[in-house]
């Protein structure tokens, strides 16, 4: 961790603030969201479909508005969108703890989702602009702070929710309010230096979107990378389900699932910068991305092998089978993400030609969000069908093949030169 902080201090103050910003955003978000469903169904007594609706509105409002958030960031500058997103999430999280009617809950949930759509593309575009040629290393640090917030948030939320969920909501809202004040006072106003067309003037929004959608290399890259998000999301879907299938829903299952998240988060915090440095010194960006997908594909091999082992009865042998392969899979998924993430973020900037960077990030996030939704539906259906048919290996085989296919696609894009867009770096402009 000392090396992480040393590297962070080597960047401009704006990048340091954005790293702290992302840690705090995830801290505030994850101290509340894991416990929201229980509050809605337990404390408020809402029906299951209503709970799903409230949570679904949050996800839809975020994924569906990423493109709009990125477009506004390119047109208005990065800072206004970051501040607006944090202020909106302050209001939304406070409301989730204070209101109990369905319309108010839906409005609050939509506000928290829209907030993420506003600041996420802007933050990434800002980091890319101010990090310059050190983008890859900067995004490696970004992922460390990102994962640290995910790891610490639920622990803080567990303590606060033990007192009252309203306390959790108000503390989380307070975190975002404080973050808003810090950014208003300390974050320089910034926009990309190459956001407008070479002919001068300002393009209309629809024309900008058509220009982004006409960027074939970017769209091919986005399609290939969707697989990485489907695979990495299995830490939240298929791996916990597998642990609980074999280990039960009791104390062991709870501890084993927590171990999954701890292995993934701690692995990233302590290994990200070293992994990125190793890859940057030895591999081209496309090669690193293909390697990362191959590692993600390999993550499901332990589960594939374990599916051929007879399931022991109750006892230590069953516990080892329930926890061992999923935890190893989580570690390999974390390693694959460590390899891909910094080069992925950098490649988006290069493929954008350093123009409309936030808009490209916004569209990329939307496409990956759609891919995660579809991938989760198919994965869940495959898990159910495989268990009903007695073919427990089928989902793991399918996920392995998905990783290999996407890795091969990235390797093909690298060899064809479609990922080697040579960007004339535009310097960030102080607004």
């Amino acid at each position: 961790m000392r090396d992480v902080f040393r590297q962070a201090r080597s960047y401009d103050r704006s990048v340091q603030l954005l790293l702290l910003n992302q840690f705090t955003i995830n801290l505030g978000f994850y101290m509340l969201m894991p416990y929201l469903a229980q509050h809605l169904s337990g404390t408020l007594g809402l029906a299951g479909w209503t709970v799903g609706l409230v949570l679904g509105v949050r996800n839809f409002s975020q994924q569906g508005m990423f493109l709009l958030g990125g477009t506004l960031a390119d047109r208005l500058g990065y800072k206004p969108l970051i501040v607006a997103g944090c202020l909106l999430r302050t209001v939304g999280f406070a409301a989730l703890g204070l209101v109990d009617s369905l319309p108010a809950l839906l409005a609050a949930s939509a506000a928290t989702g829209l907030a993420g759509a506003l600041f996420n593309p802007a933050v990434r575009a800002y980091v890319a602009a101010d990090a310059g040629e050190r983008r890859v290393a900067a995004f490696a640090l970004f992922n460390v702070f990102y994962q640290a917030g995910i790891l610490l948030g639920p622990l803080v939320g567990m303590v606060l929710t033990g007192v009252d969920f309203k306390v959790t909501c108000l503390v989380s809202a307070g975190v975002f309010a404080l973050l808003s004040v810090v950014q208003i006072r300390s974050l320089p106003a910034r926009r990309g230096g190459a956001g407008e067309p070479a002919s001068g003037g300002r393009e209309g929004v629809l024309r900008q979107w058509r220009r982004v959608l006409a960027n074939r290399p970017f769209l091919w890259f986005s399609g290939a990378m969707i697989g990485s998000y489907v695979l990495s999301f299995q830490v939240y879907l298929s791996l916990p389900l597998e642990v609980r299938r074999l280990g039960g829903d009791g104390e062991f299952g709870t501890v084993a699932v927590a171990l999954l998240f701890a292995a993934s988060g701690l692995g990233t915090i302590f290994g990200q910068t070293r992994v990125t440095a190793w890859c940057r010194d030895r591999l081209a960006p496309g090669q690193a991305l293909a390697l990362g997908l191959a590692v993600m594909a390999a993550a499901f091999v332990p589960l594939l092998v374990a599916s051929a082992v007879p399931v022991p009865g109750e006892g230590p042998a069953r516990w080892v089978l329930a926890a061992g392969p999923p935890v190893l899979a989580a570690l390999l998924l974390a390693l694959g993400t460590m390899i891909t993430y910094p080069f992925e973020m950098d490649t988006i900037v290069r493929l954008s030609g350093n123009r409309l960077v936030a808009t490209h990030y916004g569209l990329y996030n939307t496409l990956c969000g759609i891919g995660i939704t579809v991938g989760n539906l198919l994965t869940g259906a495959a898990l159910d069908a495989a268990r009903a048919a007695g073919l427990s290996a089928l989902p793991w085989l399918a996920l392995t093949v998905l990783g290999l296919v996407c890795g091969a696609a990235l390797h093909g894009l690298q060899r064809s030169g479609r990922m080697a867009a040579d960007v004339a770096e535009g310097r960030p402009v102080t607004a």
Side-chain angles (χ1 to χ4, degrees):
M1 286 301 294
R2 188 180 305 168
D3 183 58
V4 168
F5 290 119
R6 179 185 60 79
Q7 289 188 43
R9 286 195 298 270
S10 71
Y11 285 89
D12 291 345
R13 188 162 177 265
S14 59
V15 175
Q16 296 179 33
L17 185 58
L18 290 169
L19 295 176
L20 181 62
N21 169 30
Q22 192 58 49
F23 166 76
T24 310
I25 284 173
N26 280 9
L27 174 68
F29 182 83
Y30 284 96
M31 74 168 61
L32 183 151
M33 289 307 296
Y35 309 103
L36 177 58
Q38 177 58 37
H39 168 71
L40 296 175
S41 62
T43 308
L44 300 185
L46 299 182
W49 70 268
T50 311
V51 174
L53 177 62
V54 172
L55 298 179
V57 164
R58 190 214 67 80
N59 186 66
F60 178 79
S61 64
Q62 179 161 319
Q63 299 296 341
M65 293 295 177
F66 269 131
L67 179 58
L68 177 61
T71 301
L72 290 174
D74 279 327
R75 296 178 75 84
L76 303 178
Y78 303 145
K79 178 177 177 176
L81 273 293
I82 296 172
V83 172
C86 289
L87 289 172
L88 189 57
R89 192 158 277 185
T90 300
V91 174
F93 276 179
L96 284 174
L98 299 175
V99 303
D100 54 12
S101 69
L102 182 57
L105 288 168
L106 290 173
S109 186
T112 63
L114 177 58
L118 294 179
F119 59 61
N120 271 318
V123 167
R124 284 155 179 76
Y126 200 139
V127 171
D130 275 22
E133 295 180 355
R134 300 175 64 199
R135 282 194 302 260
V136 170
F139 278 116
L141 290 172
F142 187 87
N143 199 32
V144 172
F145 283 80
Y146 186 96
Q147 292 295 331
I150 292 177
L151 194 64
L152 186 59
L155 299 177
V156 175
M158 181 173 61
V159 174
L160 295 174
T161 303
V163 178
D164 194 314
F165 184 73
K166 290 183 180 179
V167 174
T168 305
C169 291
L170 293 177
V171 170
S172 181
V175 167
F176 279 97
L178 178 61
L179 187 60
S180 301
V181 172
V182 170
Q183 290 175 135
I184 290 170
R185 292 175 59 89
S186 303
L187 188 65
R190 190 81 78 230
R191 69 173 67 220
E196 300 297 344
S199 59
R202 169 157 290 202
E203 286 184 310
V205 170
L206 293 180
R207 187 173 179 183
Q208 288 182 341
W209 286 357
R210 283 196 297 268
R211 189 143 64 93
V212 174
L213 290 169
N215 187 341
R216 291 269 183 97
F218 167 73
L219 295 179
W220 280 110
F221 172 73
S222 301
M225 286 301 298
I226 285 174
S228 72
Y229 283 84
V230 174
L231 296 180
S232 62
F233 199 87
Q234 299 313 307
V235 173
Y236 303 99
L237 178 61
S238 64
L239 299 187
L241 290 175
E242 181 68 6
V243 168
R244 295 193 182 278
R245 181 178 76 87
L246 295 175
D249 293 323
E251 184 177 347
F252 170 79
T254 301
V255 172
V257 170
L259 188 59
L260 287 178
F261 300 136
S264 178
L266 291 173
T268 301
I269 291 169
F270 290 104
Q272 177 70 76
T273 55
R274 293 182 178 87
V275 168
T276 300
W278 187 92
C279 293
R280 191 178 60 234
D281 292 341
R282 293 166 175 81
L283 302 171
Q287 293 172 327
L289 289 165
L291 175 61
L293 264 295
V295 172
M296 289 185 181
F300 299 96
V301 173
L303 293 155
L304 190 60
V305 173
S307 66
V309 177
V311 178
E314 297 297 330
R318 187 176 183 120
W319 297 341
V320 170
L321 187 64
V327 169
L328 180 55
L331 285 170
L332 288 172
L333 287 173
L335 176 59
T337 303
M338 282 187 260
I339 295 171
T340 59
Y341 183 80
F343 297 98
E344 168 195 358
M345 295 292 105
D346 176 66
T347 300
I348 293 170
V349 179
R350 288 190 291 108
L351 292 178
S352 74
N354 209 25
R355 294 182 182 276
L356 302 175
V357 175
T359 304
H360 279 80
Y361 276 129
L363 178 58
Y364 184 81
N365 286 334
T366 296
L367 293 174
C368 290
I370 294 171
I372 290 173
T373 302
V374 175
N376 286 345
L377 289 173
L378 295 176
T379 301
L383 288 168
D384 290 339
R387 289 171 186 170
L391 300 172
S392 58
L394 185 60
W396 315 127
L397 180 60
L399 290 167
T400 301
V401 170
L402 174 63
L404 293 175
V405 168
C406 291
L410 289 166
H411 181 67
L413 289 173
Q414 169 70 25
R415 293 195 62 178
S416 68
R418 290 192 177 103
M419 288 171 56
D422 190 12
V423 177
E425 295 289 348
R427 298 305 302 160
V429 176
T430 301

